[in-house]
Amino acid sequence: MIDGTAGVSGHRDADEALLDDPDALAERDPGGMLRHTASAGAQVRESAALAAEANLSVLGDEGRPRAVVIAGIGTAGRTGDVLATVAGPRCPVPVIPHRSAGVPGWVGAADVVIAVSASGRSPEALGAAEAAHRRGARLVAVGAPDSQLQSVAERARAPFIPVPRRAPARASLWALTVPVLLAARTLGLVKVNEADLAETAARLDADADRCRPTAESFVNPAKSLALGLAGSIPIVWGSSPLATVAARRFGDTLSANARYPVVSGALGEAGRGRVGLLDGVFGGLAEGERDIFADPDDETPAGTRLRLVLLRDGGLNAEDDADEPLAVEERRAEAVQTLAERRGVRCDVVTAEGGSALERLASLVAVPDFASIYLALAHGLDPMAVPAITEMKELANQ
Ligand SMILES: O=P(O)(O)OC[C@H]1O[C@](O)(CO)[C@@H](O)[C@@H]1O
């Protein structure tokens, strides 16, 4: 065990055996990140019920807005990306995630602002809620009950959907996302129905069961994904806009929970630039024996290697509301797998399943969420405590 700075301790090499010892896992996870992550399905159901109790219908009274801005940072900000992808490219109004304080200069009375903050006190969400009120935009707020955000919403006479605070924001993605989707449904921007929510919750439950701590590595997809990533630099690419949201989410959780550096994003974009990574010293050149130019005395290449995680979303059907034809996305996904194989870069593939955009997204988020926690635990890291975030806030006086 290495005692690092700021009270964080862990070990350089992943302890494979630890992942198959449920008591040791529980001991190393005192805050219960595994348990909180397993509540994803329950979060969907609870948030749907809480949103039904909020007076969202007033939102729809003034008809379709000119644009919708989803304001928040971190996981709260990710909910805006989820809404944008579930609404899809045929959404009649722009859906704009906004991650800095305040709102874009053009926001006015014709627009809707959805301010999201798990704590109910992020300056980004509070600033946006206040600015929306000042400018006469319709406002909806989502976050911790009895928080500053709730007060701003009450002052603005805006609907507020309380999300009970039981876990860090990053373990509350689904609790925060569902109210945002349901607010957008009231505005006529998404078609998420009760069956979609129920099926998404059921899928999250089923994935939590497959990824449970007592399921051993050889049958547990999250443990095997974590062990595959151990010691590597993960590259996470999504084959479609929806899969890219999941890829970015995996970047968030791998960084915050497992403290791994990650490259994540859209495969389409990566294919025109970042895919070059596969040829570098952490990629193809790390395969010393395969590369005649490699310096045999240089130990670096044999150490850290890239590991590609490809999140594939085959879409519901070829006529799907996609930005690009499904066939193009599929060909690109096949191409990057071939490229990785040619260079000896190992690749894991997670393929979306489910009958709605929301369920497909859930199927790409659930296993990676658990994998990020198992990877932290395999290194002896507490996946919940991230002192660097607090220190950063103190240093920046936020
Ligand atoms: O949504 P919140 O709780 O206001 O926080 C925003 C972000 O800030 C953090 O709490 C870190 O301070 C993240 O975990 C979170 O996603």
Side-chain angles (χ1 to χ4, degrees):
M1 193 65 96
I2 309 164
D3 285 324
T5 50
V8 174
S9 54
H11 35 83
R12 178 81 182 73
D13 297 321
D15 180 349
E16 287 194 27
L18 187 135
L19 291 193
D20 285 334
D21 180 346
D23 293 335
L25 286 173
E27 198 183 307
R28 308 255 167 131
D29 181 21
M33 280 294 271
L34 284 170
R35 184 168 39 84
H36 291 307
T37 302
S39 75
Q43 290 177 31
V44 170
R45 293 185 201 95
E46 184 183 41
S47 269
L50 289 166
E53 284 168 22
N55 188 15
L56 282 176
S57 59
V58 295
L59 267 184
D61 292 349
E62 290 168 51
R64 188 181 279 174
R66 178 179 62 176
V68 177
V69 172
I70 305 89
I73 191 88
T75 304
R78 246 340 130 227
T79 66
D81 300 337
V82 175
L83 174 57
T85 196
V86 171
R90 292 195 203 155
C91 180
V93 307
V95 173
I96 301 164
H98 183 74
R99 292 179 160 88
S100 49
V103 290
W106 49 262
V107 168
D111 305 304
V112 168
V113 173
I114 308 181
V116 188
S117 166
S119 65
R121 55 168 194 262
S122 82
E124 293 78 11
L126 288 173
E130 275 156 8
H133 180 38
R134 268 197 316 275
R135 293 185 197 194
R138 275 174 276 172
L139 171 69
V140 190
V142 177
D146 304 319
S147 61
Q148 284 168 268
L149 186 61
Q150 177 164 11
S151 306
V152 177
E154 279 168 4
R155 243 182 294 130
R157 298 180 190 285
F160 175 77
I161 302 159
V163 172
R165 195 133 200 255
R166 305 194 182 100
R170 62 187 184 282
S172 310
L173 174 71
W174 297 100
L176 295 170
T177 293
V178 169
V180 171
L181 293 172
L182 293 180
R185 181 175 77 179
T186 310
L187 295 164
L189 308 185
V190 288
K191 293 194 194 115
V192 175
N193 60 32
E194 306 317 312
D196 295 338
L197 290 171
E199 282 157 19
T200 300
R203 179 163 301 273
L204 289 165
D205 286 345
D207 280 341
D209 187 52
R210 292 195 301 141
C211 298
R212 68 192 182 279
T214 51
E216 296 196 350
S217 301
F218 68 96
V219 288
N220 185 320
K223 288 182 182 176
S224 47
L225 182 56
L227 290 174
L229 288 172
S232 75
I233 299 176
I235 309 285
V236 190
W237 285 328
S239 71
S240 70
L242 181 138
T244 298
V245 176
R248 298 218 159 95
R249 161 73 179 174
F250 199 18
D252 296 342
T253 56
L254 277 172
S255 304
N257 295 333
R259 328 300 141 104
Y260 263 53
V262 191
V263 176
S264 64
L267 181 56
E269 177 68 21
R272 302 301 177 94
R274 291 183 181 198
V275 76
L277 278 167
L278 299 182
D279 286 325
V281 292
F282 300 111
L285 291 184
E287 299 297 309
E289 285 164 28
R290 292 161 52 95
D291 177 44
I292 53 166
F293 299 108
D295 178 357
D297 295 324
D298 185 353
E299 290 185 354
T300 313
T304 309
R305 308 232 177 131
L306 300 179
R307 176 112 184 180
L308 177 61
V309 180
L310 183 61
L311 302 183
R312 286 188 72 158
D313 169 25
L316 282 180
N317 55 57
E319 309 298 306
D320 210 5
D321 275 1
D323 284 322
E324 280 186 305
L326 183 57
V328 174
E329 290 176 350
E330 292 287 285
R331 274 205 305 276
R332 201 183 281 134
E334 296 294 336
V336 81
Q337 283 179 248
T338 306
L339 223 62
E341 200 177 313
R342 285 185 187 162
R343 284 147 179 80
V345 173
R346 294 159 307 156
C347 176
D348 298 285
V349 181
V350 182
T351 305
E353 290 173 21
S356 66
L358 192 62
E359 188 183 353
R360 294 203 320 274
L361 181 71
S363 75
L364 292 178
V365 167
V367 172
D369 266 11
F370 278 100
S372 71
I373 298 170
Y374 284 124
L375 187 54
L377 295 170
H379 282 288
L381 289 160
D382 175 352
M384 184 176 272
V386 191
I389 296 177
T390 319
E391 211 173 314
M392 176 86 185
K393 278 187 191 164
E394 283 165 6
L395 287 168
N397 285 325
Q398 280 174 335

